[in-house]
Amino acid sequence: GMAGVGIALPQDAMAAATNPAGMVFVGDRLDVGVDWFRPIRDSELVSPFGAIPGLTGDFDGSDKKNFFVPEFGYNKMLGWNMSLGVSVYGNGGMNTDYANGPAPFGGGIPLFNGGSGQRTGVNLEQLFIAPTFAYKINKNHAVGVSLNLAYQRFRADGLGGFAPFSASPTNFSDKGTDSSTGWGIKLGYTGNLTDAVTVGATYQSRTWMGKLSSYKGLFANQGEFDIPENYGIGIAIKATPKLTVAADVQQINYGDVDSISNPLVPNLFLSPLGSDNGAGFGWRNMTVFKLGASYAWSEKLTLRAGVSTTRQPIPKSETLFNMIAPGVIENHLTLGATWAVSPSSELSVAYMHAFSKKVKGSASFPMAPPGFVEANLKMYQDSLGIAYGMKF
């Protein structure tokens, strides 16, 4: 309900997902929830010379629209100054599902509307299980550490048109679902500078994942798909007895992971997909700014709102390959509320709308002269979550 703000504002046993130090401030509690997530993905191939039969067209990548993301958190105090807990949550993912994929992905003889006639898309899901230990240095300052145990699974279908540019064409597309596990660490600090001002900082290492061997022809370095490092700072200010305002700044370093950050062009011709330092999706690093507010309307009802903004990670030159991963969202608005069902339990709801963003390609189609065809990406998202928390 607060656009992801939480580095300096721990509120429940999911705090370790943002800052592990916050767990020692939330007490003994259990939290469970689920989020209904609805991303709408769209792309198009266009030409300044008008429609090109069998190539240009608009493509709906949302044949599957609805996803459910569960979460679980448990925290136990070990005396007044230590806690041990675990947070389980979806770390990220991407899905596209074209009933009739864009012709460049399918290869072969395209249909009259520019489609390949093949179901095309990818599905990536990542889960973190984060055992967490937090320790109060004194009553106002704490540190924490999480061991991020990660599980991811991936599937790609209908991408055979790019297989000739792969170092391993037989391990590129339509290989079913593959999975890998890995680990990393997350460190955090939370400090109450005054009764009204709290600050926090957090660092998450790169999560080193096992290779997706079934797709070693797609991802750089023979199927490597690690989860990038991120870090951030936050502040929370109790402006009045009822109103708390908080802000976070977060950096996500996609640029350190070759399969995510290496550009498709010119790598597509010089370093084949799947090879050492091979071509990838061309994503840039991101800096995310978040602002949220929480207002205690009454003893039982708390209201929340938040906004976040960033520059989306896909350059205009990299839109073609990202038709299967159009992560172009920049601005989010959230609303939420918590109702105290009893002195020891609460029910929370949250709504998020990610505003529509379109990225127009420029020199994005390497198989044709510059400007002859361009790939454009568009996405917006909505989600609705519900969670139950219990103090004990």
Side-chain angles (χ1 to χ4, degrees):
M2 296 179 68
V5 172
I7 293 177
L9 189 64
Q11 299 183 77
D12 55 34
M14 296 302 301
T18 308
N19 183 351
M23 295 286 270
V24 78
F25 290 102
V26 303
D28 298 324
R29 62 179 294 142
L30 171 72
D31 291 274
V32 294
V34 65
D35 196 60
W36 168 60
F37 180 52
R38 185 179 171 88
I40 304 300
R41 297 86 76 201
D42 186 78
S43 62
E44 59 184 2
L45 290 171
V46 299
S47 173
F49 304 101
I52 301 175
L55 181 58
T56 59
D58 186 87
F59 306 95
D60 179 7
S62 303
D63 204 50
K64 182 178 181 181
K65 299 181 176 69
N66 301 305
F67 303 87
F68 294 90
V69 185
E71 62 184 26
F72 168 84
Y74 174 81
N75 193 57
K76 176 65 176 177
M77 297 299 296
L78 307 175
W80 70 272
N81 65 337
M82 291 185 289
S83 70
L84 189 63
V86 62
S87 301
V88 182
Y89 57 96
N91 177 70
M94 176 65 69
N95 176 284
T96 46
D97 190 2
Y98 295 91
N100 177 29
F105 287 92
I109 301 174
L111 302 181
F112 70 92
N113 64 345
S116 66
Q118 301 180 33
R119 181 167 294 277
T120 298
V122 301
N123 187 62
L124 170 70
E125 300 169 317
Q126 294 176 339
L127 175 75
F128 271 7
I129 302 174
T132 302
F133 175 75
Y135 174 73
K136 282 187 178 180
I137 302 168
N138 56 44
K139 67 177 183 178
N140 290 318
H141 299 272
V143 293
V145 59
S146 296
L147 175 62
N148 286 337
L149 304 175
Y151 170 79
Q152 67 179 0
R153 58 186 183 181
F154 177 80
R155 180 186 180 109
D157 295 290
L159 310 185
F162 281 87
F165 303 99
S166 170
S168 181
T170 58
N171 294 281
F172 185 82
S173 179
D174 302 279
K175 304 298 292 184
T177 299
D178 197 3
S179 63
S180 68
T181 58
W183 67 278
I185 61 170
K186 191 163 195 169
L187 307 173
Y189 159 78
T190 300
N192 299 317
L193 301 185
T194 71
D195 290 341
V197 179
T198 302
V199 296
T202 185
Y203 171 80
Q204 178 176 302
S205 73
R206 179 170 176 163
T207 305
W208 301 92
M209 304 297 296
K211 293 186 177 183
L212 296 165
S213 57
S214 296
Y215 292 95
K216 65 181 181 180
L218 174 59
F219 295 126
N221 306 315
Q222 298 81 48
E224 178 183 277
F225 200 90
D226 293 339
I227 300 170
E229 72 169 357
N230 68 76
Y231 48 86
I233 57 173
I235 186 171
I237 301 172
K238 196 170 183 64
T240 73
K242 291 187 174 184
L243 175 65
T244 299
V245 179
D248 290 352
V249 180
Q250 182 186 30
Q251 176 75 10
I252 307 172
N253 287 333
Y254 291 117
D256 294 338
V257 181
D258 291 343
S259 55
I260 301 175
S261 65
N262 282 355
L264 186 69
V265 181
N267 292 44
L268 187 63
F269 305 104
L270 302 177
S271 301
L273 289 154
S275 65
D276 291 343
N277 199 34
F281 290 85
W283 282 33
R284 303 172 293 217
N285 294 341
M286 291 177 64
T287 305
V288 187
F289 301 90
K290 309 174 186 181
L291 177 66
S294 174
Y295 184 77
W297 182 267
S298 67
E299 289 186 0
K300 287 194 171 184
L301 178 63
T302 299
L303 303 177
R304 299 185 179 87
V307 294
S308 74
T309 186
T310 185
R311 181 183 73 158
Q312 64 83 26
I314 301 172
K316 294 180 178 180
S317 61
E318 300 295 329
T319 52
L320 175 63
F321 209 36
N322 280 289
M323 293 175 80
I324 59 170
V328 297
I329 293 296
E330 293 187 334
N331 300 310
H332 300 73
L333 172 68
T334 67
L335 299 170
T338 295
W339 178 260
V341 180
S342 73
S344 61
S345 62
E346 60 192 31
L347 188 67
S348 297
V349 295
Y351 168 73
M352 180 276 294
H353 177 69
F355 293 90
S356 179
K357 173 66 179 180
K358 184 173 185 177
V359 176
K360 294 183 177 181
S362 177
S364 61
F365 199 92
M367 299 84 161
F372 184 75
V373 177
E374 300 291 358
N376 300 331
L377 309 175
K378 184 179 179 180
M379 182 189 280
Y380 69 90
Q381 303 169 350
D382 291 280
S383 73
L384 182 66
I386 185 168
Y388 175 77
M390 180 176 64
K391 305 171 187 176
F392 56 90

